[in-house]
Amino acid sequence: QQPAARSVDASGGVASGGLRELIPTVGRACVAAGVDGVFMEMHDDPRAAPCDGPTQWPLRAALPLLEELKAIATASRAREEDAPIDLTPDGYDWVRLRQSSIYKAEDPA
């Protein structure tokens, strides 16, 4: 997802507009079409991010979305069940994230 526009805010910083709610839709469409990778900006609190907050996906909602994208990729590519599709960023401890207070099944908007 790309920002819809860029502008300079009163403090002189660069602000970007975006539609966070479209991230899952764009991700699903791309994975179903067969992309080899997905890049998403994430933040533990996108509303408080110093820049590009509207284009960031909440970290607490990352794991469910990545699991869904993996399922779509598996189905759309007609892969065998044991075919490796790894949508986990290298070195990230998703088990620890799932157990942390950041990860909650809440509305990401």
Side-chain angles (χ1 to χ4, degrees):
Q1 176 191 1
Q2 294 296 319
R6 290 195 180 272
S7 63
V8 177
D9 65 19
S11 68
V14 175
S16 66
L19 299 171
R20 177 182 310 119
E21 63 272 12
L22 292 181
I23 292 173
T25 303
V26 171
R28 291 178 194 119
C30 291
V31 170
V35 299
D36 291 324
V38 176
F39 172 84
M40 294 188 296
E41 288 187 62
M42 296 185 196
H43 192 276
D44 60 337
D45 184 2
R47 293 181 185 146
C51 66
D52 297 336
T55 64
Q56 295 178 6
W57 190 245
L59 189 57
R60 69 181 178 276
L63 187 57
L65 179 56
L66 290 174
E67 290 172 340
E68 180 181 359
L69 296 178
K70 181 177 179 179
I72 293 169
T74 301
S76 67
R77 293 181 182 173
R79 294 180 179 253
E80 297 176 19
E81 281 188 33
D82 60 350
I85 297 178
D86 185 4
L87 296 177
T88 306
D90 191 31
Y92 201 86
D93 186 351
W94 288 102
V95 172
R96 197 176 95 223
L97 173 64
R98 184 175 277 211
Q99 295 169 349
S100 77
S101 61
I102 294 174
Y103 176 77
K104 298 175 185 167
E106 298 175 2
D107 183 341

